[in-house]
Amino acid sequence: QVTLRESGPALVKATETLTLTCTFSGLSVSTRGMSVNWVRQPPGKALEWLAIIDWDDDKYYSTSLKTRLSVSRDTSRNQVVLTMTNMGPADTATYYCARTTIGVLGRGGLDIWGQGTMVTVSS
Amino acid sequence: SYVLTQSPSVSVAPGQTARITCGGNNIGVKSVHWNQQRPGQAPVLVIYHNDARPSGIPDRFSGSKSGNTATLTITRVEAGDEADYYCQVWDNSGEHPSVVFGGGTKLTVL
């Protein structure tokens, strides 16, 4: 069974940098054709995609947030790490990591999600 | 950037059929995926590539497309189906692929 689990601080201060970790169990983070996405959801609002890292280490970011985001992998720990700089109150949200795969029909849906981690930014 | 439009809410009585729509320009050429998010829980994929169901998803859930609209249909609606539903596509029109979500539809079971 493949599971993902997010971890990181529950509270950060404005202007600080947020670092979140997504730990994979049951599957290598380097599995060919697999990607890890980061998605966030402010309280009461819709899902917002942030970034993706592919199995071959290609990385893509949300256009509106790309100057603040960085995603990387630690294959020895089977983890994916997201950093977001210059945090502000508007970044208060639940942050999820989620898997997608690439098949004959192209990139698929986000088929495995972590439970999410709530991050509050204090001003 | 690509935009997906969903109605904010849909209400149905138990046992009836719920239809949740997702509109987007030329959505007919894209694969549409649907996620269910029950209150306080992480999203769950219920339909992928327009009309395929992941293992464990009841066959009461189905997906379709017509013109510029994709539809998630839930037959014989149960109380446990009450949730927010998000459609999702990949936008490959820019410099790189990106995920686009609709704004979500809240399904209320009366």
Side-chain angles (χ1 to χ4, degrees), chain A residues 41 49 60-61 96 108 110 114, chain B residues 35 37 42 86 88 90 96 99:
Chain A
Q41 185 175 38
W49 180 79
Y60 307 112
Y61 301 99
Y96 297 97
L110 288 79
Chain B
N35 285 276
Q37 186 178 32
Y86 293 91
Q88 177 253 312
W90 286 91
H96 58 74
V99 168

Side-chain angles (χ1 to χ4, degrees), chain A residues 37 39 41 45-49 52 60-63 66 96 100 105-111 113-115, chain B residues 31 33 35 37 41-45 48-49 84 86 88 90 92 95-104:
Chain A
N37 298 263
V39 176
Q41 185 175 38
K45 296 188 176 181
L47 302 170
E48 179 186 14
W49 180 79
I52 185 174
Y60 307 112
Y61 301 99
S62 162
T63 300
K66 62 182 178 181
Y96 297 97
T100 51
L105 296 178
R107 293 182 185 263
L110 288 79
D111 61 354
W113 293 72
Q115 85 283 359
Chain B
S31 273
H33 316 285
N35 285 276
Q37 186 178 32
Q41 297 186 18
V44 172
L45 185 69
Y48 65 99
H49 288 310
D84 294 323
Y86 293 91
Q88 177 253 312
W90 286 91
N92 296 300
E95 295 179 350
H96 58 74
S98 61
V99 168
V100 177
F101 290 105

